[in-house]
Amino acid sequence: MPMPQSHRRAAAALAVLAFALTVGACSDSEASASTGTGSQADSRQPTESTTPLPVGAAYAEPGPYPVGGGELALDDGTAVEGWYPAAEGTTGTDTYSVRDFLPEAIQQIVPEDVDATFTTPSARDAEGADGSFPVVLFSHGASGFRKQASFLTYHAASWGDVVAAPDHPSRTLLGFLSGTASTNRAEAADELRATLSRVQAENERAGAPLEGLVDDETVIAMGHSAGGGTVLQVADDAPIDGYVSMASGNRFGDPEQSSTTTTLPLPAKASLWIAGENDEIIEPTTTTAAFDGADAPSFYWEIGAAGHNAFTDFCTMGEGQGGLIGLADQGGCGDLVPDGLRRLGTDGCLPPNQPVEEVWPAIQHSVVAFAQYVAGVDREPVALDADAAADIDGVTVAVVMNADS
């Protein structure tokens, strides 16, 4: 779902504070210590047990395929990142830096020793694997960018999905910092549609890494936060067979002005809804309300000890200090970050939340299990309900609900 207007303003300010305030103009004195905020009490009565549940491990580990990756562009120049199953024997790693998604003027003033990078085991422009594979479209959140959930997108590719994620210029980090962000929902939805068309064209282009690799008979749309709202806008499109909404819901407009909010009718298609138990940006009740309106088969997972940013790579940057806000702390100016912005930027990155690396297997498993089910690889959902769940050390699913008939 789109962020409330106040959160969008905060997201823009957060981006500036997390990067522009880490420049040399900051004091050399030690940044003040920060603490996380606890989750609010949850009075829901879910339809199934809330007893902490070990998570099934079937798809938690990387899959059988090495992963290739590369960049495409839409007709208007908008960048699209891709991940796909690569040929046997492919090796390599791919590293991105958040500074590459900043305006050039800010790139030049961010200190070189500020580590805002993330690495995945994928090889750029590698030869594709034998066979053809379903398509997964990923839509990023506000103040995000196409690579923001590489921990998940590369993982899905390792299990046999062609994953494509466009930038949404109306809400990218670059757009907020450059003053060009418009949060135009229709544009973001059209970019996701155009991304599918681009992937289909690459499947036909001689010599392209995706040549012959794409099976567009199965297409899944997946999004985080505002990206979850974008996914709902395209979910009823004929090519989409199922959709995944992470830390999102089905409210459009500004929730602070309830008379102006609307919901979208949800299509009769398979869906997976995932929330973080401790998310205070998009609270789990918002996600369960959307799940309650979804047709079967639909699934709801609430990941224990996880917050809003558990669905991104961001918490690993400035790790242990609050993700991107930790970078401001490292720059010696964390005391300039207001409490509200610190809460937004650290949600999911600090105690009482688990380290995101410990939470990711639950997210990776549930998304891949859902994709395999929609694609028909698994005739029945694997470990998407309480009975089928198996062990992953140290991770729990606080709530599991299924609508399967």
Side-chain angles (χ1 to χ4, degrees):
M1 63 173 287
M3 281 189 175
Q5 183 67 29
S6 61
H7 285 171
R8 292 199 296 269
R9 290 193 298 266
L14 169 63
V16 175
L17 287 167
F19 293 101
L21 291 181
T22 57
V23 303
C26 291
S27 168
D28 290 334
S29 61
E30 183 177 352
S32 59
S34 63
T35 58
T37 57
S39 62
Q40 297 176 350
D42 190 344
S43 60
R44 286 172 298 152
Q45 297 297 319
T47 59
E48 295 191 14
S49 172
T50 58
T51 302
L53 175 73
V55 181
Y59 297 115
E61 296 296 326
Y65 294 98
V67 175
E71 184 178 322
L72 303 172
L74 303 182
D75 290 344
D76 64 0
T78 297
V80 175
E81 199 68 25
W83 298 261
Y84 54 88
E88 185 176 355
T90 298
T91 60
T93 58
D94 186 40
T95 299
Y96 76 83
S97 173
V98 174
R99 76 173 64 238
D100 295 335
F101 296 90
L102 303 174
E104 185 176 351
I106 296 182
Q107 288 185 33
Q108 293 175 353
I109 60 177
V110 175
E112 290 296 330
D113 61 353
V114 172
D115 183 13
T117 62
F118 189 80
T119 299
T120 55
S122 57
R124 303 293 287 181
D125 301 318
E127 179 184 354
D130 292 333
S132 59
F133 304 91
V135 177
V136 175
L137 305 173
F138 176 76
S139 180
H140 67 74
S143 283
F145 47 85
R146 63 189 186 275
K147 292 186 177 184
Q148 72 167 52
S150 291
F151 84 94
L152 177 59
T153 48
Y154 102 84
H155 188 86
S158 79
W159 279 101
D161 292 317
V162 174
V163 186
D167 274 336
H168 295 301
S170 63
R171 62 169 185 254
T172 58
L173 177 61
L174 176 64
F176 274 114
L177 289 175
S178 302
T180 59
S182 65
T183 64
N184 186 304
R185 298 196 300 270
E187 286 181 3
D190 285 343
E191 286 150 5
L192 211 57
R193 296 182 177 107
T195 296
L196 176 58
S197 296
R198 188 74 177 90
V199 168
Q200 291 167 325
E202 286 296 294
N203 185 55
E204 302 296 330
R205 185 170 69 86
L210 295 184
E211 181 187 5
L213 204 65
V214 177
D215 176 9
D216 60 3
E217 291 298 311
T218 301
V219 180
I220 296 167
M222 172 174 67
H224 171 248
S225 195
T230 298
V231 162
L232 295 190
Q233 290 177 268
V234 305
D236 201 29
D237 290 5
I240 305 300
D241 297 289
Y243 59 97
V244 179
S245 177
M246 299 180 291
S248 191
N250 187 12
R251 289 190 300 177
F252 291 80
D254 190 344
E256 295 173 357
Q257 303 292 327
S258 59
S259 62
T260 67
T261 60
T262 60
T263 61
L264 291 178
L266 300 178
K269 298 180 181 181
S271 62
L272 170 64
W273 307 79
I274 317 177
E277 178 186 33
N278 295 339
D279 192 337
E280 295 184 348
I281 307 304
I282 304 296
E283 295 182 355
T285 50
T286 298
T287 308
T288 55
F291 164 79
D292 287 342
D295 280 357
S298 59
F299 309 90
Y300 173 80
W301 275 36
E302 187 173 305
I303 310 299
H308 196 69
N309 291 305
F311 301 89
T312 74
D313 306 331
F314 297 151
C315 289
T316 64
M317 303 168 188
E319 191 167 11
Q321 300 181 52
L324 295 180
I325 290 296
L327 301 180
D329 292 339
Q330 290 175 28
C333 50
D335 56 339
L336 299 180
V337 180
D339 289 343
L341 296 184
R342 183 173 290 277
R343 173 175 166 268
L344 175 63
T346 60
D347 193 292
C349 298
L350 293 169
N353 298 290
Q354 290 182 250
V356 292
E357 295 94 334
E358 297 178 9
V359 170
W360 285 346
I363 299 169
Q364 292 166 322
H365 165 79
S366 59
V367 168
V368 171
F370 177 77
Q372 299 286 75
Y373 170 59
V374 172
V377 176
D378 295 329
R379 291 190 177 186
E380 299 294 334
V382 174
L384 282 173
D385 59 30
D387 292 336
D391 290 336
I392 289 181
D393 291 341
V395 187
T396 62
V397 178
V399 181
V400 176
M401 294 186 288
N402 302 318
D404 55 11
S405 61

